[in-house]
Amino acid sequence: LGPRMESLPEAVLIRILASIPAVDLVLVCRLVCCQWKNLVDGAALWILKCQQEGLTGAESEENAENWQNFYFLSKKRKNLIKNPCGEEDLQHWGEVENGGDGWKIEELPGDFGKEFPSEEVHKYFVTSYEWCRKAQVIDLRAEGYWEELMDTTQPKIVVKDWYAGRSDAGCLYEVCVKLLSENEDVLAEYRSETIAIPQDNDANWTEISHTFSNYGPGVRFVRFEHGGQDTLFWKGWYGVRVTNSSVTVEP
């Protein structure tokens, strides 16, 4: 018989464990024995996994309190808003308020519009002559962000949106994002001012962003809402244009 696993030097054992999928490390390997539990709960194994998988920022996170959480959050990082650019019409957007002629999806750059800074974005939502609003509620647990992580680590929740007007029409825009508890109580909120874009504007796309941090325990949902209208009350779709909305949970 060859040498037993526990007689291996710790550095070698960490290298072996680092080749195992992260979920198996947490759910299976840490239950094997005290030594493995300590290694899976320690920093060295997760620092190595971060380095092996090129998770950037690991070097600058010398003070990351929990490398295991840093690893999982880095691997999971994705936009939690579904259909952010109108590729699926209004699918996934709820509580839709269709003022005037309602929401419409158009191809970039659109009439009297400008191209978007990213070539990956091809469409946008556009509002009409009365308030148009739409919302999306993100279930953090369903997306894989477990309760202890949200309550203890309280990872940053970064919200971004992009808006623009037509160069021949004035419009209004606003965004409101709420962090909600299990019972949908509001634990934190970001609300932009109502942004007015004048007629004869440059039609450039503008990014607006907010980062939630230290928001306290209990956050289970993120509710994202935005909308606007034109200020000339022209029939059709002369109001604010929005696209590329995002909500990400960051390490």
Side-chain angles (χ1 to χ4, degrees), residues 10-246:
E10 198 162 271
V12 175
L13 190 49
I14 284 174
R15 290 210 163 267
I16 294 170
L17 290 173
S19 66
I20 295 171
V23 173
D24 294 331
L25 285 173
V26 174
L27 297 181
V28 181
C29 295
R30 73 187 296 275
L31 305 179
V32 170
C33 62
C34 285
Q35 184 192 21
W36 284 30
K37 179 180 184 297
N38 291 337
L39 291 178
V40 172
D41 290 346
L45 172 59
W46 298 100
I47 291 172
L48 181 58
K49 281 189 81 65
C50 286
Q51 290 169 344
Q52 286 177 343
E53 298 183 35
L55 298 179
T56 53
E59 303 77 20
S60 64
E61 292 286 333
E62 293 281 338
N63 58 354
E65 289 176 29
N66 190 325
W67 281 89
Q68 183 178 320
N69 285 347
F70 178 85
Y71 175 88
F72 277 108
L73 287 166
S74 298
K75 292 288 282 185
K76 276 181 174 298
R77 192 185 305 184
K78 64 171 184 173
N79 184 6
L80 299 176
I81 294 273
K82 295 178 173 65
N83 186 26
C85 305
E87 294 291 348
E88 302 171 78
D89 200 52
L90 280 167
Q91 197 172 343
H92 303 296
W93 292 96
E95 302 174 63
V96 177
E97 185 179 325
N98 278 310
D101 287 321
W103 286 97
K104 187 184 179 190
I105 288 94
E106 294 180 346
E107 298 269 346
L108 279 156
D111 293 341
F112 295 89
K114 293 267 180 75
E115 285 292 355
F116 192 77
S118 165
E119 291 179 5
E120 294 163 17
V121 179
H122 305 290
K123 296 181 179 183
Y124 57 83
F125 302 91
V126 58
T127 59
S128 190
Y129 59 86
E130 288 174 354
W131 269 98
C132 295
R133 289 185 179 86
K134 59 187 176 71
Q136 208 168 120
V137 177
I138 296 158
D139 181 338
L140 292 168
R141 267 178 310 200
E143 295 290 348
Y145 299 98
W146 58 98
E147 294 180 10
E148 186 190 1
L149 177 76
M150 297 309 302
D151 294 348
T152 306
T153 304
Q154 294 176 33
K156 294 190 291 286
I157 298 174
V158 181
V159 178
K160 297 180 179 179
D161 201 19
W162 289 81
Y163 65 90
R166 295 170 54 116
S167 60
D168 63 340
C171 60
L172 303 175
Y173 163 83
E174 59 185 44
V175 60
C176 176
V177 185
K178 298 175 181 177
L179 306 187
L180 305 175
S181 72
E182 182 77 49
N183 302 322
E184 301 193 4
D185 299 319
V186 178
L187 302 180
E189 179 176 356
Y190 166 71
R191 185 183 294 272
S192 72
E193 58 186 348
T194 301
I195 296 167
I197 300 174
Q199 193 174 4
D200 302 319
N201 65 87
D202 58 15
N204 282 337
W205 286 93
T206 301
E207 184 184 47
I208 188 168
S209 71
H210 178 77
T211 300
F212 291 98
S213 56
N214 302 318
Y215 39 76
V219 172
R220 299 293 176 262
F221 302 96
V222 180
R223 185 183 185 278
F224 178 101
E225 178 185 289
H226 62 179
Q229 68 171 88
D230 80 23
T231 48
L232 302 169
F233 304 101
W234 287 348
K235 184 167 177 55
W237 296 273
Y238 293 84
V240 73
R241 299 166 170 185
V242 293
T243 196
N244 208 36
S245 314
S246 66

